[in-house]
């Protein structure tokens, strides 16, 4: 069985996955963002055409022999008989609602991941390798078809906080799971079984950086991410006993917005140790315990209280401050 060996790095998100800042505008007026619904319609047609006129190949990765590089090319000339991506049995799609617009996220499922491992939630931490590229080459005259497309990649697994990545990256990974086993080697590296999640996500700009742009990622660019998912850690960013994904009060799978900030301070609940700002820490207003010792806190392992019976749980109610632990 092939084994992946790497030193695990705890990393922060690089340019490919952080919110991009616009380049210096040189004093010029910045155009307002385009209407999302209209842009979605235009890009849906672009992606449909791309899937119908392009095929993909996998080639060995010289920097990492344990997974392949995915190459996309046009069905033409010597490749005129190749199967389009749209007809591949590996292609799946997922509707993702973001900013009140329904987007189609396309997924090429090379390997779903081990059935024995848990899929990440939209707020978990994931150990991944990935490559991010543009739909089309910025330097089409270059013989290397990927030189002008790839804007970021890593062949060494790094931890990525799904709260902070672009929506398409986040929503793609929640459909996959990690490897079934891992072991530490004498040299300090870690080996993973080869049943890890392996996928490519093709997304409209509305699930990427949309109107933000840099020299390597133009505004309104559809994106392609190829990802390998090795391991998941359930995130509790503020260590209050409530997993971060459970602090999504408005159920939009985004925990950083104002709708998830009970006390209206500078921190959304997932990062706030005192969600209601009553002076009693959230962890002291609930009872949370990993009863089955599986490393994950499920909803039935948390006890919430409502001392004054007003239908609002103590940790979200300034009127209830009693310490329960």
């Amino acid at each position: 069985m092939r084994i992946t060996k790497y030193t695990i790095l705890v990393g922060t998100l690089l340019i490919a996955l952080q919110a991009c800042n616009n380049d210096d505008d040189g004093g010029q007026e910045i155009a307002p963002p385009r209407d999302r619904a209209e842009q979605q319609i235009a890009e849906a047609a672009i992606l449909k055409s791309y899937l119908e006129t392009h095929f993909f190949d996998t080639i060995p990765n010289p920097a990492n022999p344990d997974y392949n590089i995915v190459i996309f090319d046009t069905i033409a000339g010597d490749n005129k008989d190749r199967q389009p991506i749209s007809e591949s049995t590996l292609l799946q799609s997922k509707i993702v609602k973001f900013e009140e617009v329904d987007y189609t996220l396309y997924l090429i499922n090379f390997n779903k991941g081990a059935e024995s491992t848990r899929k990440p939630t939209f707020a978990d931490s994931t150990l991944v390798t990935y490559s991010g590229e543009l739909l089309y080459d910025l330097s089409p005259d270059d013989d290397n078809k990927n030189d002008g497309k790839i804007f970021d990649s890593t062949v060494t697994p790094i931890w990525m906080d799904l709260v902070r990545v672009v929506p398409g990256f986040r929503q793609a990974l929640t459909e996959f799971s990690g490897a079934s086993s891992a072991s530490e080697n004498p040299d300090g590296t870690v080996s993973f079984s080869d049943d890890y999640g392996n996928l490519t996500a093709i997304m409209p700009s509305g699930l990427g950086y949309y109107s933000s742009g840099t020299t390597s990622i133009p505004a309104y660019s559809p994106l392609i991410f190829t990802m390998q998912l090795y391991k998941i850690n359930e995130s509790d960013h503020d260590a209050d006993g409530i997993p971060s994904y459970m602090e999504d009060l408005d159920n939009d799978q985004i925990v950083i917005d104002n709708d998830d900030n009970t006390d209206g301070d500078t921190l959304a609940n997932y990062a706030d140790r005192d969600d209601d700002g009553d002076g009693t820490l959230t962890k002291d207003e609930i009872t949370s315990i990993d009863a089955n010792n599986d490393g994950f806190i499920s909803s039935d392992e948390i006890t919430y209280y409502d001392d004054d019976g007003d239908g609002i749980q103590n940790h979200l109610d300034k009127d209830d401050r009693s310490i329960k632990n």
Side-chain angles (χ1 to χ4, degrees):
M1 179 178 294
R2 293 176 62 193
I3 299 294
T4 306
K5 288 186 176 181
Y6 296 106
T7 301
I8 298 176
L9 300 180
V10 178
T12 57
L13 306 184
L14 305 181
I15 184 174
L17 298 173
Q18 290 177 324
C20 296
N21 293 321
N22 288 326
D23 292 338
D24 187 354
D25 61 12
Q28 298 180 355
E29 183 177 349
I30 299 175
R34 298 172 185 171
D35 179 88
R36 276 189 172 265
E38 294 177 359
Q39 185 67 19
Q40 183 275 333
I41 293 173
E43 289 188 29
I46 292 172
L47 289 178
K48 182 176 184 294
S49 175
Y50 185 89
L51 297 174
E52 292 173 347
T53 58
H54 287 71
F55 67 94
F56 65 86
D57 267 333
T58 58
I59 63 174
N61 187 338
N64 182 342
D66 286 346
Y67 70 85
N68 293 326
I69 296 174
V70 183
I71 298 292
F72 298 90
D73 205 350
T74 306
I75 299 175
D78 292 342
N79 298 317
K80 64 183 176 61
D81 295 325
R82 296 302 300 268
Q83 181 189 55
I85 302 170
S86 60
E87 295 180 9
S88 172
T89 57
L90 301 182
L91 184 66
Q92 305 170 356
S93 64
K94 176 181 181 180
I95 302 299
V96 177
K97 192 177 189 66
F98 182 67
E99 297 288 351
E100 304 303 320
V101 175
D102 287 336
Y103 294 99
T104 300
L105 173 65
Y106 294 99
L107 304 172
I108 301 176
N109 174 12
F110 295 111
N111 188 39
K112 198 72 171 178
E115 292 184 1
S116 60
T117 63
R118 170 187 176 280
K119 295 178 182 178
T121 74
F122 54 87
D124 284 338
S125 182
T126 55
L127 185 66
V128 298
T129 47
Y130 69 89
S131 175
E133 60 186 277
L134 304 174
L135 201 66
Y136 295 106
D137 199 336
L138 290 181
S139 53
D141 295 332
D142 197 313
D143 289 338
N144 187 336
K145 293 183 180 299
N146 266 13
D147 274 359
K149 293 181 66 180
I150 295 177
F151 53 81
D152 192 20
S153 65
T154 177
V155 296
T156 301
I158 62 172
W159 285 104
M160 288 208 162
D161 182 356
L162 294 189
V163 169
R164 297 294 177 181
V165 302
V166 296
F169 193 100
R170 175 170 58 246
Q171 290 293 334
L173 277 187
T174 58
E175 299 297 318
F176 290 77
S177 56
S180 59
S181 62
S183 59
E184 186 172 350
N185 303 307
D187 62 358
T189 62
V190 175
S191 297
F192 294 94
S193 55
D194 59 3
D195 53 358
Y196 52 81
N198 191 4
L199 66 142
T200 292
I202 303 174
M203 66 189 71
S205 69
L207 296 179
Y209 300 111
Y210 199 53
S211 58
S212 298
T214 67
T215 53
S216 56
I217 309 175
Y220 308 109
S221 294
L223 302 175
I224 300 173
F225 283 104
T226 293
M227 300 170 263
Q228 294 74 41
L229 173 60
Y230 302 105
K231 188 176 180 181
I232 298 98
N233 277 345
E234 184 176 72
S235 291
D236 179 2
H237 289 80
D238 53 7
D240 64 359
I242 305 176
S244 294
Y245 78 94
M246 293 187 192
E247 303 207 63
D248 176 26
L249 302 182
D250 57 353
N251 296 313
D252 63 355
Q253 299 198 3
I254 301 171
V255 295
I256 62 176
D257 52 12
N258 289 332
D259 293 330
D260 301 317
N261 187 351
T262 298
D263 57 11
D265 61 4
T266 58
L267 296 173
N269 288 5
Y270 87 99
D272 193 342
R273 299 175 65 211
D274 181 6
D275 291 341
D276 56 8
D278 63 359
T280 301
L281 297 180
T282 296
K283 69 182 181 65
D284 294 327
E285 295 183 287
I286 66 168
T287 300
S288 176
I289 183 170
D290 182 10
N292 58 5
N293 230 6
D294 65 351
F296 300 100
I297 299 293
S298 56
S299 58
D300 60 356
E301 293 176 317
I302 302 177
T303 301
Y304 298 101
Y305 304 93
D306 178 14
D307 288 348
D308 61 8
D310 63 356
I312 303 175
Q313 297 164 347
N314 285 12
H315 72 290
L316 302 176
D317 189 349
K318 286 188 175 182
D319 296 332
D320 293 325
R321 299 182 176 86
S322 64
I323 295 177
K324 300 299 182 181
N325 304 303

